[in-house]
């Protein structure tokens, strides 16, 4: 039971305190009200404004005890035709009646919530309060706060079990450590898609994805199972060699045809075909 001991732990042991639980009777996040104050925190604020001091957590308990006694006394005397408080103070019988009246006392609205006593004199009007040191989801810092996790109707946060994913992540996913830290469910998937330029080829329970090798990427896609290397000018060496051979043959043929035309320029066949036109064709051949 660490109600009092855990109050200042967030400042003293900020690195160790996350996920610690603490039992309590009241929490500032509760919005239970009575006819005087809209919440326990409003009562504490009133005391601070009125008496210039900051009351502790215990002030709500003190107020609640007095409030219960007040309600019991009021309930007892409202049935008296002519209530005489002075006589009551000196009457053991009346005192016993008042004490027994606590057994049947039921107050639906107090700063502690519904108050009903059972045969063991325990308040069973609501479940006990519980808190947990957590980093709020909307917090801009990593400083833990004691958040209310019970009762359910008043809770400001779900209880967090910092447990790994109960399910194996599919290819393209990994176990997200952030979800492990903040997800309230113990038996749900805590997997996230691999970020851009990282991949996961198989089902896994890894806490991260594999980075793409130099020169490869996921083309700005998340949840990749592979990385790809894109090069529009990537041609095999065999194809390059073949191309050089073909081009060389082409040039040799063009030079040969041009030389043949010049050598036989006076031949009737060359003259009919027009030497200039044949040279032009030979020059265009490499292109």
């Amino acid at each position: 039971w660490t109600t009092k001991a855990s109050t200042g732990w967030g400042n003293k042991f900020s690195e160790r305190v996350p996920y610690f639980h603490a039992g309590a009777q009241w929490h500032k996040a509760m919005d239970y009200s009575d006819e005087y104050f809209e919440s326990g925190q409003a009562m504490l604020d009133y005391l601070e404004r009125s008496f210039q001091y900051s009351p502790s957590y215990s002030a709500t308990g003190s107020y609640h005890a007095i409030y219960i006694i007040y309600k019991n006394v009021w309930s007892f005397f409202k049935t008296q035709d002519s209530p005489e408080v002075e006589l009551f103070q000196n009457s053991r019988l009346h005192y016993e009646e008042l004490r027994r009246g606590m057994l049947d006392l039921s107050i639906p609205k107090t700063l502690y919530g519904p108050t009903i006593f059972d045969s063991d004199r325990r308040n069973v009007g609501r479940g006990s309060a519980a808190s947990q040191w957590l980093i709020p989801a909307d917090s801009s810092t990593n400083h833990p706060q004691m958040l209310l996790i019970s009762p359910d109707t008043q809770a400001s946060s779900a209880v967090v079990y910092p447990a790994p994913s109960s399910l194996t992540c599919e290819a393209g996913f990994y176990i997200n450590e952030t979800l492990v830290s903040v997800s309230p469910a113990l038996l749900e998937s805590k997997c996230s898609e691999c970020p851009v330029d990282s991949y996961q080829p198989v089902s896994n329970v890894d806490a991260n994805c594999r980075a793409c090798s130099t020169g490869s990427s996921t083309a700005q896609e998340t949840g990749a199972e592979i990385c790809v290397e894109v090069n529009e000018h990537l041609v095999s060496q065999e194809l390059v060699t073949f191309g050089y051979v073909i081009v060389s043959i082409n040039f040799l043929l063009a030079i040969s045809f041009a030389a043949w035309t010049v050598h036989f320029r006076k031949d009737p066949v060359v003259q009919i075909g027009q030497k200039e036109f044949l040279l032009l064709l030979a020059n265009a051949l490499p292109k």
Side-chain angles (χ1 to χ4, degrees):
W1 190 265
T2 55
T3 301
K4 300 297 291 184
S6 64
T7 302
W9 284 15
N11 295 325
K12 296 178 180 178
F13 314 108
S14 60
E15 295 181 358
R16 299 181 181 181
V17 80
Y19 314 120
F20 276 36
H21 289 74
Q25 293 298 322
W26 177 84
H27 189 281
K28 64 181 181 180
M30 291 180 170
D31 59 3
Y32 295 125
S33 63
D34 61 18
E35 62 268 41
Y36 302 109
F37 299 102
E38 61 183 13
S39 68
Q41 186 60 50
M43 186 272 294
L44 295 179
D45 294 341
Y46 170 79
L47 292 179
E48 184 172 4
R49 291 194 306 270
S50 300
F51 303 101
Q52 290 75 51
Y53 87 103
S54 298
S56 67
Y57 158 94
S58 301
T60 55
S62 300
Y63 173 88
H64 186 248
I66 296 173
Y67 183 80
I68 293 300
I69 295 174
Y70 149 70
K71 280 293 187 180
N72 188 40
V73 172
W74 178 83
S75 177
F76 178 81
F77 279 107
K78 75 175 182 177
T79 62
Q80 304 293 321
D81 293 333
S82 300
E84 299 181 16
V85 180
E86 295 80 4
L87 294 177
F88 167 80
Q89 291 176 337
N90 298 320
S91 171
R92 186 173 183 82
L93 177 62
H94 286 170
Y95 175 82
E96 182 63 18
E97 290 179 3
L98 182 64
R99 189 186 69 83
R100 290 183 177 276
M102 295 286 286
L103 295 177
D104 299 323
L105 191 66
S106 177
I107 309 175
K109 295 187 63 176
T110 76
L111 298 188
Y112 264 35
T115 299
I116 304 172
F117 294 103
D118 64 6
S119 58
D120 295 320
R121 281 58 167 182
R122 294 174 178 170
N123 180 13
V124 294
R126 63 163 174 84
S128 62
S131 56
Q132 186 178 25
W133 284 102
L134 297 170
I135 298 175
D138 58 351
S139 176
S140 59
T141 68
N142 292 326
H143 189 74
Q145 298 180 25
M146 185 182 284
L147 303 182
L148 183 66
I149 58 174
S150 175
D152 294 341
T153 56
Q154 296 288 311
S156 58
S157 173
V159 60
V160 174
Y161 297 97
S165 175
S166 62
L167 304 175
T168 300
C169 295
E170 300 177 354
F173 291 77
Y174 72 103
I175 293 180
N176 190 327
E177 292 292 342
T178 300
L179 294 180
V180 171
S181 300
V182 303
S183 178
L186 180 62
L187 299 176
E188 72 173 8
S189 172
K190 298 183 180 180
C191 302
S192 293
E193 290 185 329
C194 290
V196 173
D197 293 339
S198 64
Y199 71 104
Q200 191 58 264
V202 295
S203 298
N204 66 95
V205 291
D206 297 340
N208 49 60
C209 295
R210 307 178 189 181
C212 293
S213 58
T214 303
S216 64
S217 71
T218 61
Q220 299 302 312
E221 296 292 333
T222 59
E225 299 180 22
I226 60 172
C227 293
V228 295
E229 185 175 350
V230 179
N231 189 335
E232 297 179 355
H233 305 290
L234 188 61
V235 181
S236 66
Q237 187 59 44
E238 293 78 7
L239 189 58
V240 172
T241 302
F242 177 76
Y244 280 132
V245 171
I246 295 300
V247 170
S248 299
I249 294 174
N250 199 359
F251 273 103
L252 287 174
L253 288 175
I255 294 172
S256 299
F257 291 154
W260 182 89
T261 301
V262 173
H263 181 73
F264 294 102
R265 62 185 178 278
K266 294 183 179 180
D267 189 278
V269 175
V270 174
Q271 290 181 353
I272 292 174
Q274 300 182 35
K275 178 186 66 175
E276 293 78 5
F277 179 71
L278 293 176
L279 289 174
L280 183 62
L281 290 177
N283 181 59
L285 187 60
K287 302 178 181 179

